[in-house]
Amino acid sequence: MRWDQPVASPAPGHDASPADASSGHTLEQGRQQSQQHGLNSSGSPPPPRLRSRSVSTSSSSGPIRNLHDLYYIGQPISPHSKGGNAEVLLCMRKADGLKFALKVVRLGAHTRESRSQVRALQCVNHVGIIKLVDWFETIEHPSGDLVLYMVMELATGGDFLEHLVRCADRRLSETRAAACFKQVLEAVGHMHSRGLVHCDLKPENILRLDESENSPVKITDFGFAQFLSNNPN
């Protein structure tokens, strides 16, 4: 199976140190490289140059970089990973071959999601919260819409609702349910200690890191998150 094919156990709501600088390749060269590797750059490709800020320097603007210089872009994570103004694709970092989830969000009047989710993910650092690795933004032509690209930690076990549906009798053992709930509560406690409220916490926004029976769970989808103050810790 090619790396860019949908991962096993698709998740209905799935929603994974950036490279230092652009390699200097043009967008067309990036596409040619993808074709040579048998990769599919699905979805609407961004314009040649994308303005981005490194996760490690959230307070200042970074250099102009090209998404396609840094990542191969593949297929949607699952048949259900596109909805509304957002979709989630599989991507692979060229520098080291690591795979991530690429969330593409078209911001505008028709969605409640905003760039603030980048700020939200940058202010948290917890094993129970999906990690933001890199991000880009650009103006899409000819619509003029602002498009946000977020490279995030890849979770391959599907969301928690899908897991419940697959379980025998659609229920978990008390021991397993308690372990998952403890992980979620610890992650929520960490968010609240940073002055951040998720505002959309539900089984579809809790991902399983892998397909193992005792897989860790991680909170994702901070599109509606709100800060309790203007100055998060």
Side-chain angles (χ1 to χ4, degrees):
M1 184 179 76
R2 287 195 340 223
W3 77 268
D4 64 335
Q5 291 178 326
V7 296
S9 300
H14 186 79
D15 170 334
S17 307
D20 294 333
S22 170
S23 63
H25 296 162
T26 65
L27 179 60
E28 184 59 32
Q29 287 172 329
R31 288 176 179 165
Q32 290 173 358
Q33 286 183 351
S34 295
Q35 292 171 356
Q36 291 171 1
H37 286 78
L39 305 177
N40 186 333
S41 56
S42 63
S44 300
R49 307 305 293 174
L50 300 176
R51 182 172 297 279
S52 69
R53 280 179 285 182
S54 168
V55 174
S56 60
T57 56
S58 57
S59 62
S60 62
S61 294
I64 301 297
R65 298 183 300 159
N66 188 329
L67 174 66
H68 288 268
D69 284 347
L70 303 177
Y71 298 92
Y72 294 119
I73 301 176
Q75 300 285 356
I77 293 290
S78 81
H80 308 285
S81 62
K82 181 175 182 179
N85 293 304
E87 62 179 333
V88 183
L89 309 173
L90 187 63
C91 72
M92 183 172 73
R93 191 161 57 194
K94 295 182 179 182
D96 52 20
L98 292 179
K99 300 174 189 176
F100 301 96
L102 177 66
K103 183 177 181 181
V104 184
V105 185
R106 286 164 178 80
L107 305 177
H110 301 294
T111 178
R112 286 178 54 195
E113 293 204 48
S114 71
R115 188 191 300 159
S116 64
Q117 59 191 294
V118 172
R119 177 171 166 240
L121 285 167
Q122 287 176 328
C123 87
V124 294
N125 182 21
H126 191 275
V127 67
I129 299 174
I130 213 76
K131 295 188 182 302
L132 177 67
V133 177
D134 205 352
W135 69 278
F136 304 79
E137 62 181 7
T138 188
I139 300 297
E140 186 178 64
H141 300 286
S143 67
D145 293 338
L146 179 64
V147 183
L148 179 65
Y149 299 83
M150 293 185 293
V151 181
M152 308 178 75
E153 180 182 8
L154 178 63
T156 60
D159 68 46
F160 205 72
L161 179 61
E162 177 71 14
H163 178 59
L164 289 174
V165 171
R166 293 199 305 265
C167 287
D169 299 325
R170 298 190 177 184
R171 66 181 65 182
L172 295 177
S173 68
E174 182 177 349
T175 301
R176 181 58 187 150
C180 293
F181 194 54
K182 178 176 183 291
Q183 292 175 59
V184 171
L185 286 180
E186 289 174 343
V188 169
H190 174 76
M191 285 188 289
H192 290 180
S193 73
R194 301 296 180 94
L196 179 67
V197 182
H198 188 278
C199 297
D200 194 25
L201 195 58
K202 55 188 178 182
E204 297 96 315
N205 289 337
I206 299 173
L207 300 180
R208 301 177 72 244
L209 184 61
D210 54 52
E211 295 182 338
S212 65
E213 182 178 355
N214 296 317
S215 169
V217 296
K218 292 175 177 283
I219 297 175
T220 190
D221 201 345
F222 284 71
F224 299 159
Q226 299 289 327
F227 287 102
L228 296 178
S229 68
N230 293 326
N231 298 304
N233 294 329

